[in-house]
Each structure stands twice: as C-alpha cells, then as structure tokens.
Amino acid sequence: MSPEHSPRRSRVITVEPALTHLSKLTASETHRLDRAIVAISVNPELGTEVPGTLLRDYTDEVDGVRLIYFVTALQTITIVAYVEA
C-alpha cells in the first residue's frame, strides 16, 4: 500500500430496528454515535467478543455510546438493533 492511501474502512450497515431507534436520537446523540461508527469502521476489532455469539460489543466511554455489531468475512459491519447513546 502506498503511503498516500489509508487502510480500507469497513462498510457499515444498520438493520431496520436500529434505524428506527436512530430516528429518535437528538442531533448531539447522532453526532456521538457517528464518531463511534467511524471508529469501528476503521478498526472492527475494537469491540470485545460477546461469548457464544458472532457479536461484538463496543463502548466509547468518552462519548457515552455503546454499539452491538458483527463483522462479516468481507469486513462489512452490521449494527444490530441495540444502540445506546
């Protein structure tokens, strides 16, 4: 990889229950959530594994955001129904 190119980000998909939840967030909460989504898109392994599942749990203590998600083999991140902001 040449120096002028950054690593490829993962593609983020949000499922319908999470989208419904997102529509209820304030602008400030959405901004904080966006920062967390960017963080996991750059490094999908930030979250900790949820035992016995394919899910990962990421909490950003600074912004007070929690995401439950899974990463596919092609590095697509799917955010599941639970989003805390």
Side-chain angles (χ1 to χ4, degrees), residues 25-46:
L25 296 178
T26 67
S28 174
E29 290 169 332
T30 302
H31 178 72
R32 292 178 8 233
L33 181 60
D34 283 344
R35 289 170 46 94
I37 291 171
V38 168
I40 65 170
S41 75
V42 173
N43 183 0
E45 295 185 15
L46 279 179

Side-chain angles (χ1 to χ4, degrees), residues 21-70:
H21 182 76
L22 288 172
S23 69
K24 298 175 185 175
L25 296 178
T26 67
S28 174
E29 290 169 332
T30 302
H31 178 72
R32 292 178 8 233
L33 181 60
D34 283 344
R35 289 170 46 94
I37 291 171
V38 168
I40 65 170
S41 75
V42 173
N43 183 0
E45 295 185 15
L46 279 179
T48 58
E49 293 181 13
V50 176
T53 71
L54 297 175
L55 298 174
R56 298 189 71 80
D57 184 344
Y58 171 69
T59 302
D60 180 333
E61 300 291 342
V62 174
D63 281 331
V65 174
R66 182 177 182 199
L67 299 172
I68 306 295
Y69 64 98
F70 70 92

Side-chain angles (χ1 to χ4, degrees), residues 66-81:
R66 182 177 182 199
L67 299 172
I68 306 295
Y69 64 98
F70 70 92
V71 182
T72 68
L74 297 175
Q75 293 297 302
T76 297
I77 296 174
T78 302
I79 299 174
V80 297

